[in-house]
Amino acid sequence: MKISILPLKFIIISSLIITVFSCINETTKPQHSTLNESIEKKVDSVLALMQINEKIGQLVQYSGKWNATGPSSTKGDQHKFEKLKKGEVGSMLNITSVASIRETQKIVMEHSRLKIPLIFAYDVIHGYKTIFPIPLGETASWDLGIMKQSAAIAAKESAASGLNWTFAPMIDVSRDARWGRVMEGAGEDPYLNAVVGVARIEGFQGDDLSDIYTIAACAKHFAGYGFGEAGRDYNTVNVGANELHNTILPPFKAAAEAGAATFMNAFNDIDGIPATGHKILQRDILKGAWNWNGLVVSDWGSIGEMRAHGYAEDKKHAAEIALNAGSDMDMESYAYEAHLETLLSENKISINQIDDAVKRVLRLKFELGLFDDPYKYCNEQREKDNVYSKENLAIARDVAKKSIVLLKNENNVLPLSKQIRSIAVIGPLADDKDSPLGNWRAKGEYNSAVSLLEGIKNAVGENTKIHYAKGVDLTIPTIEPGANQFLLPLKFNTTDDSGITKAVEAAKKSDVVLLAIGENAYQTGEGRSQTNIGFLGLQNELLEAVYKVNKNIVIVLMNGRPMDLSRASEIAPSILECWHLGSESGNAIADVVFGDYNPSGKLPVSFPHNVGQEPLYYNQKNTGRPYSNKHVTFSGYRDAPKKALYPFGFGLSYTTFSYDNLQLDKTEIKASDDIKASVNVTNTGNRAGEEVVQLYIRDLVGSFVRPVKELKGFEKVMLKGGETKTINFTINAKMLQFYTANNKWEVEPGKFNVWVGGDSTTSLKKSFSVIE
Ligand code: NOJ
């Protein structure tokens, strides 16, 4: 391998980093590190035929400009078109539909020398056309089976439309509600992100990538993107080895072990090194220690952005850094196509590095079966039959109702009787058929969701009067069909309160108010960071006005991030956290509102008392001054509680549960031993319901300070009214180990606490010790 000649300042910077992330000593050898021999032979034989321009071409990914019927020689982007004809493009993103994909594939198959098929990628984040809850919302179901199922349906619809690859799941641990992309992941906990990420990967990829209904997954964003300073998108990330290895990387390690076909790197820098140019992360850890053979794609333009970071002098330098660091495919930076050949001739990169990257692309194309038939995924009939089918919508409703979290239900306001005389359905989101689709809604059609108002109307009979009033507008301008979400400068209406009077009238004449407030679909997502996580516009005024005339309020919250619910939780007797629930939103909410489904969701993120508490997460460190009620010198705020308003893992049901008799079968074990924990969970009410039984562990003393509690397991269990079940957990070395100051994953002997309960504040505790 040729040694790259970097300017002196880069050599100095890299050697400093090595001292921070030093001695990567990962011991696990994931199963999928074994390559399929027959595919490897084919990959080698294709590679042997390739000229350098064709090799580099495989590392280029373009976004399509054509959407409807594919490009033609007279329109579309001429540069891309010429490169496709020469076989100098490996993949396209954002081209959808069988017709467009076939048309584009044909350019390569009919004109290029080697006819290496393209892979078609798209951001299928929570459904393709049948839209499921946003990933954060779906995570609130704590039901890995349904998450796998929704990913499988998203894959089926996408693959039936000709696609091969989704840029999901996002498994960035995210702890700052100000960050807009909180909606796209599984929340604040590394373990939850890991298991949810694996469920989604398994759902997308199935057992066999060559199956016509599966697509390649992409674990993103590698790494640290969720830790942007102050929740600002794309912002710098300052974490040390402990946080990196014990909080940020575990979901990615799990994804690599689960066989995620691809990874995407990230826009952010980590302690001064852009993730896209981070050799230690990509070459040493991912491809080295984890022995992962998949393909790393850059994020959009992130190779070129290393210039703006101040890490690359120009695009050529950026291409050199990225390839050396292990970024295989260049998404839309045009840096590889322009400079890799020259860099090679100048010995700044090596042919081995290029070949390795190309092999990763070819391997995936063989796994997808594209070499056998490049049009394999292009079948109009299949597209018609599988996309947005009734069956898929029924599953979307099931997933949606299971994702709802009941945050408050004083005096059992909910469930409502279907015989109720009158309901006021009020709020800017009450009859919004678009916001429930959330951000990143792939081919979800504008205004295609079932609104809350529609869902309620569908559920009740003629004897129930529904009084609808919008009250206030949430955004100006309203979003037009097909608008480019990245060009939407949303403004929040702060002046027009003329609709409040009508809302008050509706509230006055109704037995109960369903008040749909929260966030518009495009308030969260990429580039949607906010410093205010309360109700924007005149929503607070609406709430207060309605409250004056009718105290029987159920807040139907629709949102993509934890919000400041302090005032709402003071006055509204009932709050239903409904996220952005997707195509079947209104029907799913009605299922819960009328008790056809007993809510079972639990929060995957902490909800603060106010934005000043952010970043807020349950698994903090204890600090040297955790708490005092006598003096002020402890870690916390003078003007706000230290804890969350609604904690991680929290969620109510229409019944109640109690926990007792937590038992461990041993109090002392060796690191390699298992220990069994059991607990009795009782449904103390009359109605059947599901409870998410959560297991937390604390390692009391560590060579790196350990969090006060860490989720290590959970089980969702159905209990009939009055029923008790014993739930068992096996605590093993994997749950006790962490990345220690020895730079390896190991169990350190010492004392551990175990808690089991219905949320992260549980106090039902036992202890045990690990001895040498
Ligand atoms: C940028 C986003 O960060 C990434 O997650 C997404 O997959 C790409 N754009 C492609 O759309």
Side-chain angles (χ1 to χ4, degrees):
M1 200 149 69
K2 304 261 163 46
I3 293 168
S4 80
I5 303 156
L6 288 169
L8 190 59
K9 70 174 180 179
F10 290 99
I11 294 174
I12 294 168
I13 289 169
S14 345
S15 59
L16 282 178
I17 288 176
I18 286 167
T19 58
V20 178
F21 298 153
S22 62
C23 312
I24 308 304
N25 182 6
E26 302 276 352
T27 44
T28 336
K29 284 278 171 258
Q31 287 164 5
H32 72 280
S33 60
T34 344
L35 293 168
N36 175 322
E37 254 179 57
S38 103
I39 288 190
E40 287 313 292
K41 276 191 191 141
K42 292 179 195 167
V43 166
D44 287 338
S45 63
V46 175
L47 190 74
L49 300 173
M50 294 173 81
Q51 298 166 357
I52 188 66
N53 62 317
E54 291 160 336
K55 288 182 178 177
I56 292 168
Q58 286 305 303
L59 310 183
V60 172
Q61 184 181 57
Y62 289 147
S63 175
K65 282 209 166 162
W66 39 87
N67 237 333
T69 54
S72 72
S73 51
T74 52
K75 60 179 196 178
D77 182 326
Q78 200 55 34
H79 173 75
K80 292 176 185 172
F81 185 57
E82 292 308 323
K83 297 291 261 184
L84 284 165
K85 285 211 293 201
K86 287 194 227 153
E88 292 180 359
V89 185
S91 170
M92 299 288 295
L93 77 145
N94 291 340
I95 296 186
T96 55
S97 88
V98 162
S100 301
I101 287 174
R102 181 187 289 111
E103 199 65 28
T104 313
Q105 191 74 285
K106 260 167 84 179
I107 304 171
V108 172
M109 300 319 290
E110 288 176 5
H111 298 273
S112 70
R113 191 179 75 92
L114 291 177
K115 307 189 190 317
I116 299 176
L118 295 163
I119 317 183
F120 293 89
Y122 197 47
D123 287 287
V124 182
I125 308 295
H126 51 112
Y128 178 71
K129 189 161 179 183
T130 303
I131 303 301
F132 293 89
I134 52 168
L136 184 69
E138 200 185 61
T139 303
S141 71
W142 295 59
D143 185 332
L144 300 175
I146 61 164
M147 291 186 239
K148 185 169 167 180
Q149 190 183 23
S150 85
I153 290 169
K156 192 172 182 181
E157 291 196 357
S158 323
S161 302
L163 290 161
N164 320 118
W165 181 12
T166 176
F167 297 131
M170 186 187 100
I171 47 176
D172 295 307
V173 171
S174 43
R175 294 172 160 181
D176 198 321
R178 291 170 293 182
W179 191 44
R181 295 191 84 168
V182 170
M183 54 81 52
E184 210 182 324
E188 72 192 35
D189 183 74
Y191 175 79
L192 199 54
N193 268 280
V195 292
V196 167
V198 168
R200 291 187 174 136
I201 290 163
E202 289 173 354
F204 288 130
Q205 298 192 166
D207 297 328
D208 177 5
L209 273 183
S210 73
D211 184 313
I212 47 165
Y213 290 126
T214 60
I215 55 178
C218 182
K220 73 186 188 186
H221 304 83
F222 195 63
Y225 186 40
F227 274 66
E229 200 173 77
R232 289 195 290 273
D233 211 350
Y234 319 119
N235 207 9
T236 195
V237 172
N238 291 311
V239 294
N242 178 27
E243 199 76 301
L244 180 75
H245 288 281
N246 287 310
T247 305
I248 293 173
L249 293 186
F252 288 99
K253 191 161 186 274
E257 286 172 9
T262 72
F263 268 47
M264 183 185 290
N265 55 36
F267 290 125
N268 56 284
D269 77 85
I270 300 190
D271 206 16
I273 308 290
T276 303
H278 210 300
K279 183 173 168 300
I280 294 173
L281 275 178
Q282 297 175 108
R283 285 223 186 269
D284 299 353
I285 298 180
L286 177 61
K287 295 176 176 178
W290 296 352
N291 200 20
W292 176 80
N293 294 306
L295 159 70
V296 179
V297 64
S298 79
D299 203 342
W300 181 291
S302 67
I303 296 179
E305 286 176 17
M306 285 197 283
R307 292 169 300 173
H309 274 287
Y311 194 64
E313 280 153 19
D314 50 28
K315 229 185 218 185
K316 182 178 170 198
H317 188 200
E320 174 190 342
I321 294 170
L323 193 83
N324 273 311
S327 291
D328 300 313
M329 186 177 270
D330 173 358
M331 183 198 292
E332 279 285 322
S333 278
Y334 303 81
Y336 281 8
E337 67 173 33
H339 301 294
L340 286 191
E341 201 164 341
T342 319
L343 287 166
L344 185 65
S345 68
E346 292 169 357
N347 289 338
K348 292 195 170 146
I349 56 171
S350 73
I351 191 65
N352 285 347
Q353 287 171 329
I354 291 189
D355 283 354
D356 176 65
V358 174
K359 280 168 85 165
R360 289 170 187 269
V361 179
L362 297 179
R363 189 174 292 139
L364 181 56
K365 292 183 175 181
F366 274 110
E367 284 168 357
L368 287 162
L370 290 167
F371 277 101
D372 297 331
D373 176 4
Y375 304 107
K376 182 172 169 175
Y377 298 91
C378 296
N379 177 317
E380 273 87 355
Q381 192 54 45
R382 212 158 51 218
E383 186 174 29
K384 256 194 212 137
D385 295 345
N386 288 289
V387 176
Y388 210 56
S389 65
K390 272 199 182 131
E391 300 77 54
N392 294 356
L393 285 167
I395 295 167
R397 178 169 177 167
D398 186 53
V399 179
K401 72 186 187 199
K402 291 176 175 161
S403 303
I404 295 172
V405 186
L406 179 63
L407 292 178
K408 188 176 174 197
N409 198 25
E410 237 168 51
N411 307 326
N412 296 330
V413 172
L414 290 178
L416 302 182
S417 153
K418 282 189 190 161
Q419 268 66 57
I420 192 166
R421 280 172 311 160
S422 55
I423 307 175
V425 183
I426 296 177
L429 294 160
D431 198 25
D432 186 338
K433 290 174 62 57
D434 197 60
S435 277
L437 298 177
N439 202 330
W440 290 119
R441 77 269 294 271
K443 301 304 279 185
E445 258 172 39
Y446 177 70
N447 261 347
S448 64
V450 178
S451 74
L452 172 67
L453 182 62
E454 289 170 327
I456 297 297
K457 282 185 178 163
N458 291 341
V460 294
E462 281 171 4
N463 295 336
T464 304
K465 289 232 155 36
I466 311 276
H467 304 295
Y468 164 72
K470 188 175 189 184
V472 296
D473 272 323
L474 189 47
T475 61
I476 297 179
T478 4
I479 290 140
E480 293 305 321
N484 177 348
Q485 60 138 319
F486 294 110
L487 300 176
L488 284 174
L490 293 187
K491 293 207 178 85
F492 297 95
N493 178 8
T494 50
T495 51
D496 184 3
D497 61 2
S498 57
I500 295 185
T501 315
K502 199 175 157 217
V504 166
E505 276 161 25
K508 263 190 198 158
K509 57 186 177 201
S510 302
D511 294 334
V512 66
V513 177
L514 299 181
L515 185 65
I517 49 178
E519 297 186 315
N520 170 279
Y522 294 104
Q523 247 177 284
T524 49
E526 188 177 345
R528 308 293 182 189
S529 296
Q530 280 181 193
T531 58
N532 184 347
I533 58 169
F535 296 104
L536 299 191
L538 291 177
Q539 297 184 94
N540 286 319
E541 284 76 356
L542 177 65
L543 168 62
E544 299 289 351
V546 167
Y547 179 69
K548 268 197 194 134
V549 297
N550 191 335
K551 309 274 179 272
N552 220 13
I553 300 177
V554 177
I555 294 191
V556 178
L557 193 63
M558 300 184 192
N559 53 320
R561 57 158 60 81
M563 292 187 72
D564 173 349
L565 302 179
S566 41
R567 176 66 181 153
S569 72
E570 240 170 61
I571 62 177
S574 186
I575 304 179
L576 264 191
E577 169 55 84
C578 296
W579 317 105
H580 292 139
L581 286 177
S583 304
E584 285 289 317
S585 176
N587 288 332
I589 299 171
D591 288 339
V592 168
V593 163
F594 295 106
D596 293 328
Y597 182 72
N598 187 353
S600 63
K602 300 273 189 173
L603 293 178
V605 275
S606 305
F607 275 47
H609 291 264
N610 66 51
V611 70
Q613 287 181 291
E614 294 293 323
L616 182 70
Y617 48 98
Y618 81 95
N619 39 1
Q620 309 157 343
K621 312 277 175 15
N622 205 34
T623 79
R625 293 188 172 189
Y627 181 69
S628 161
N629 55 6
K630 298 211 176 72
H631 49 77
V632 297
T633 54
F634 69 90
S635 171
Y637 301 103
R638 301 286 79 82
D639 63 345
K642 188 170 174 175
K643 300 256 164 74
L645 175 62
Y646 294 111
F648 176 86
F650 174 79
L652 301 170
S653 158
Y654 294 150
T655 185
T656 45
F657 300 98
S658 74
Y659 288 74
D660 68 337
N661 203 23
L662 173 61
Q663 307 259 4
L664 300 181
D665 71 342
K666 296 172 204 118
T667 51
E668 211 173 73
I669 54 164
K670 293 218 167 99
S672 53
D673 294 343
D674 288 350
I675 195 164
K676 298 235 179 318
S678 64
V679 70
N680 288 347
V681 185
T682 304
N683 180 341
T684 47
N686 301 324
R687 187 186 277 263
E690 291 155 284
E691 169 71 336
V692 180
V693 182
Q694 301 157 43
L695 174 85
Y696 295 89
I697 292 182
R698 178 174 180 188
D699 183 348
L700 292 183
V701 178
S703 59
F704 281 138
V705 170
R706 310 301 305 131
V708 291
K709 260 181 194 164
E710 291 180 281
L711 180 73
K712 290 293 174 181
F714 60 87
E715 193 177 322
K716 194 163 184 174
V717 49
M718 168 61 93
L719 293 168
K720 288 185 235 133
E723 189 184 8
T724 299
K725 275 188 185 164
T726 302
I727 307 299
N728 298 302
F729 293 97
T730 302
I731 300 170
N732 56 30
K734 213 173 169 200
M735 293 150 95
L736 303 180
Q737 67 182 4
F738 70 103
Y739 194 84
T740 69
N742 284 333
N743 300 306
K744 61 179 180 188
W745 283 88
E746 58 185 340
V747 180
E748 287 183 344
K751 210 172 161 201
F752 291 78
N753 286 343
V754 181
W755 294 262
V756 178
D759 68 60
S760 58
T761 64
T762 171
S763 55
L764 189 60
K765 183 178 90 177
K766 288 276 175 203
S767 301
F768 68 92
S769 297
V770 173
I771 52 168
E772 307 258 1

